[in-house]
Amino acid sequence: MASHSHSLLLSRLLPPPHCFFLLLPWLLISLPNPVLSQCHHTPVIFSFGDSNSDTGGLVAGLGFPVNFPNGRTFFRRSTGRLSDGRLIIDLLCQSLRANFLSPYLDSVKSNFTNGANFAIVGSSTLPKYIPFALNIQVMQFLHFKASSLDPMVAGPRHLINDEGFRNALYLFDIGQNDLADSFSKNLSYAQVVKRIPFILAEIKSAIQTMYDQGGRKFWIHNTGPLGCLPQKLSLVPKKPGDLDPYGCLSAYNDVARLFNEGLRHLCQEMRSRLKDSTIVYVDIFAIKYDLIANSTKHGFSSPLMACCGYGGPPYNYNIRVTCGQPGHQVCKEGSQFVSWDGIHFTEAANTIVASKILSMDYSTPRIPFDFFCNR
């Protein structure tokens, strides 16, 4: 409990971005259970996924506006992240004392010396070959790698070399939109369940491609409790008995659990089949559901209500007036909300999620996050 409270306090007291990396070692040491990076070489991460990990790709790729107050807590401006501050991927990078991952599609500010972020808002595994499905992200990676290793293309820039690609961590966090989109098309519970093997097949194919390219180190996040998102709770007609004891949609969470069980088995199967690989499966569902079920213990109020949205209690979500759009209402800065905009987490919640990921308590096998760069 002290660890959680301390993390929340730190999230409120963090300095502006330009000062952060000067103070990061002190911040890490000051944690009750410090997680200090043991990296022996520059950590390189390639991230694949959806809006839970998008650090600005949608804005860079399509020019789609992600307006303030997104980004207000840490960056003090919108950076294309769908949160008030940092995402889980940002916090994991900072635990390694590494720079934030640049979006692959950002041609202006990008620095690809420590990897690239291919995750894009709205991405899913299916259908394939439409921006920015997982297989498109994989194709983008293959192009990025070929260009990085071609001296005629890379020129004098210090891009990632072949050893960097071999030693990199390949992080996947995708599947939430596949499940959500299936429900939004009015598919029955059974029909959504039948789609799960096809979703998993795409993730398996992506991991296999990275392995065939020389990647050996993988970090796989399962999907969170879809039925606890204020957006879903606001939009889905509910009957008596549809909600669990914490107010979440039982059917949505049950499908997420089935997907996660399939993903866990997939990781186990690939772990035994792919020689010399390390595949870490992380139970994000358990971490996030605990934030909802025990919100008071973690210092949060109204865990099923969005901080930024429209409509007030119980969910503060209106699909016609979403966060950043004219007429939106936003909670006071420093308020302790789990949900930022009805779909994505606040920085305060992401801070707890990241700390639990780094604890190894939710990882199979129990391997520290910096395993890929500490040897």
Side-chain angles (χ1 to χ4, degrees):
M1 175 52 58
S3 177
H4 295 149
S5 301
H6 201 89
S7 296
L8 288 172
L9 180 61
L10 284 175
S11 72
R12 297 175 198 159
L13 299 178
L14 287 173
H18 65 277
C19 300
F20 185 84
F21 289 103
L22 295 175
L23 296 179
L24 182 57
W26 175 85
L27 287 170
L28 290 170
I29 293 170
S30 69
L31 290 169
N33 299 301
V35 182
L36 295 175
S37 169
Q38 300 297 319
C39 286
H40 295 159
H41 55 80
T42 300
V44 175
I45 299 175
F46 296 106
S47 171
F48 305 87
D50 51 33
S51 55
N52 290 315
S53 306
D54 185 350
T55 53
L58 179 69
V59 174
L62 299 180
F64 191 89
V66 174
N67 300 321
F68 198 81
N70 288 288
R72 72 175 186 178
T73 299
F74 179 78
F75 301 98
R76 300 299 175 185
R77 61 184 177 84
S78 176
T79 63
R81 292 165 171 81
L82 293 180
S83 177
D84 60 326
R86 291 163 295 167
L87 309 180
I88 293 168
I89 185 66
D90 296 318
L91 296 158
L92 293 179
C93 285
Q94 288 185 329
S95 76
L96 303 173
R97 291 179 274 200
N99 294 326
F100 295 139
L101 287 184
S102 294
Y104 167 73
L105 293 174
D106 192 339
S107 60
V108 179
K109 306 184 295 292
S110 289
N111 171 12
F112 296 123
T113 56
N114 67 310
N117 192 356
F118 299 90
I120 298 283
V121 170
S123 293
S124 56
T125 67
L126 295 169
K128 299 167 65 173
Y129 298 109
I130 61 170
F132 291 93
L134 178 58
N135 80 307
I136 293 290
Q137 296 181 29
V138 170
M139 292 165 63
Q140 290 174 325
F141 167 81
L142 295 175
H143 175 73
F144 174 83
K145 181 182 178 186
S147 299
S148 298
L149 298 179
D150 185 343
M152 296 296 292
V153 176
R157 292 177 296 171
H158 297 289
L159 297 181
I160 300 163
N161 59 22
D162 190 56
E163 182 182 9
F165 282 101
R166 286 197 309 272
N167 291 329
L169 182 71
Y170 295 84
L171 191 154
F172 292 84
D173 188 337
I174 198 165
Q176 177 175 308
N177 288 329
D178 288 277
L179 302 179
D181 291 348
S182 297
F183 276 115
S184 69
K185 294 173 182 174
N186 293 321
L187 296 183
S188 68
Y189 177 87
Q191 289 172 321
V192 177
V193 170
K194 286 182 180 179
R195 290 174 59 89
I196 290 176
F198 300 98
I199 302 170
L200 295 173
E202 293 304 311
I203 296 174
K204 179 179 181 179
S205 175
I207 295 173
Q208 182 68 56
T209 299
M210 297 304 140
Y211 182 84
D212 293 341
Q213 289 290 313
R216 293 295 182 269
K217 299 160 184 178
F218 301 92
W219 194 267
I220 316 296
H221 289 178
N222 72 13
T223 200
L226 187 63
C228 299
L229 299 180
Q231 180 213 43
K232 305 305 176 196
L233 289 163
S234 172
L235 297 177
V236 176
K238 295 177 285 296
K239 303 187 300 291
D242 286 349
L243 302 180
D244 70 12
Y246 305 108
C248 304
L249 290 162
S250 297
Y252 281 56
N253 281 352
D254 288 345
V255 163
R257 289 187 181 97
L258 286 174
F259 168 81
N260 290 341
E261 184 64 13
L263 185 62
R264 186 179 69 82
H265 282 292
L266 172 63
C267 290
Q268 184 177 347
E269 180 263 320
M270 299 196 81
R271 204 177 288 127
S272 62
R273 185 170 57 81
L274 300 182
K275 183 180 179 183
D276 299 327
S277 68
T278 301
I279 302 176
V280 181
Y281 168 86
V282 185
D283 193 354
I284 299 297
F285 184 101
I287 297 173
K288 289 187 173 182
Y289 194 62
D290 176 64
L291 283 183
I292 304 298
N294 299 294
S295 57
T296 304
K297 184 180 77 172
H298 293 296
F300 294 108
S301 60
S302 305
L304 301 180
M305 189 167 83
C307 166
C308 185
Y310 183 80
Y315 305 122
N316 195 37
Y317 184 86
N318 186 314
I319 196 169
R320 297 180 183 85
V321 187
T322 56
C323 185
Q325 298 304 309
H328 75 266
Q329 301 167 344
V330 63
C331 65
K332 183 179 179 181
E333 191 165 354
S335 302
Q336 292 309 305
F337 280 73
V338 173
S339 178
W340 167 242
D341 58 5
I343 304 173
H344 310 94
F345 274 23
T346 60
E347 175 173 294
N350 283 333
T351 299
I352 293 180
V353 175
S355 69
K356 293 199 171 203
I357 292 171
L358 294 171
S359 76
M360 299 184 287
D361 290 341
Y362 298 84
S363 299
T364 305
R366 286 177 57 93
I367 293 178
F369 180 67
D370 66 357
F371 80 95
F372 70 101
C373 59
N374 65 8
R375 301 169 187 171

